[in-house]
């Protein structure tokens, strides 16, 4: 064993992880629009890394789970051995932000899931997939998000879920005019039914980055 690899082994066994202040934010890159999230993070001056292997989870300060297809993200994450380490990281308090399919992956309960579909869980919510039906595949609307200031967020919904029930420790960040909850946070976790990575409005990402920085 070379001195370098020996040193690495020793420091890993002592520290477990690299110092959190130097770690990038990971974006789960199994399926979906992870590139858009990586772009937004880079735009914000944050180091960002595409996460595809369990080992990479040891070296991130936060994780974004992108939009896409939750049943596919579920299958691939189990296939690549990422599901259990992600659940462990969530339980250990890693800040995680899920958009659309990512919100579904964070939900403790998934309604209208396909047969055998699983989520990572962590967010004490019940989320219904494809809640707007096939008539409303996608739409864009203005949302007031008090946490992000007075200017409305333009929110893009694509075959989007809604939050149908939430536990006492979950806070709604945004609701549609009809009262349905479409953005939530709970401890180190947050999720949106819509896709802020697609609109050029970076405030949700800034909110998440702030959460990661305060934990660093
Ligand atoms: N309908 C998708 C699902 O169930 C989510 C769509 C999206 O992420 N834009 O996973």
């Amino acid at each position: 064993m070379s001195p370098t690899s020996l040193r690495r082994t020793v420091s890993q066994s002592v520290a477990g992880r690299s110092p959190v202040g130097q770690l990038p934010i990971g974006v789960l890159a199994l399926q979906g629009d992870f590139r858009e999230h990586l772009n937004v993070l880079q735009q914000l001056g944050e180091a960002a890394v595409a996460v595809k292997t369990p080992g990479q989870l040891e070296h991130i300060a936060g994780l974004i789970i992108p939009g896409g297809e939750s049943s596919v993200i579920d299958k691939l994450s189990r296939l690549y051995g990422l599901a259990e380490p992600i659940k462990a990281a969530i339980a250990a308090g890693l800040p995680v932000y899920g958009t659309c399919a990512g919100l579904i992956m964070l939900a403790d309960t998934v309604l209208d899931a396909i047969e055998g579909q699983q989520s990572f869980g962590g967010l004490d919510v019940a989320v219904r997939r494809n809640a707007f039906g096939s008539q409303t595949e996608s739409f864009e609307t203005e949302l007031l998000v008090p946490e992000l200031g007075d200017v409305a967020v333009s929110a893009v919904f694509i075959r989007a879920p809604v939050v149908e029930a939430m536990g006492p420790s979950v806070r709604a960040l945004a609701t549609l005019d009809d009262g349905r909850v479409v953005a939530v946070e709970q401890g180190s976790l947050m999720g949106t039914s819509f896709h802020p990575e697609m609109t050029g409005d970076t405030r949700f990402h800034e909110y998440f980055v702030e959460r990661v920085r305060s934990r660093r």
Side-chain angles (χ1 to χ4, degrees), residues 37-122:
H37 283 286
L38 289 167
N39 288 342
V40 176
L41 291 172
Q42 276 149 15
Q43 200 184 320
L44 295 178
E46 273 297 308
V49 62
V51 171
K52 295 184 178 185
T53 64
Q56 290 175 294
L57 289 169
E58 298 289 320
H59 306 288
I60 54 173
L63 180 68
I64 292 180
I65 306 175
E69 175 49 54
S70 56
S71 59
V72 177
I73 296 175
D74 164 38
K75 277 191 191 129
L76 293 177
S77 64
R78 284 191 271 152
L79 190 65
Y80 296 136
L82 277 154
E84 291 307 318
I86 288 175
K87 286 184 203 172
I90 290 171
L94 183 76
V96 184
Y97 173 26
T99 61
C100 203
L103 165 63
I104 296 169
M105 292 307 301
L106 283 178
D108 281 345
T109 304
V110 180
L111 306 170
D112 288 342
I114 68 163
E115 175 93 28
Q117 180 172 353
Q118 297 176 21
S119 63
F120 304 137

Side-chain angles (χ1 to χ4, degrees), residues 1-15:
M1 195 183 274
S2 74
T4 317
S5 64
L6 180 63
R7 238 191 337 268
R8 199 177 302 128
T9 308
V10 168
S11 76
Q12 267 174 7
S13 65
V14 171

Side-chain angles (χ1 to χ4, degrees), residues 67-70 100-101 104 129-130 158-159 195:
E69 175 49 54
S70 56
C100 203
I104 296 169
R129 295 175 64 226
N130 304 323
I158 304 169
R159 294 179 295 106
H195 291 270

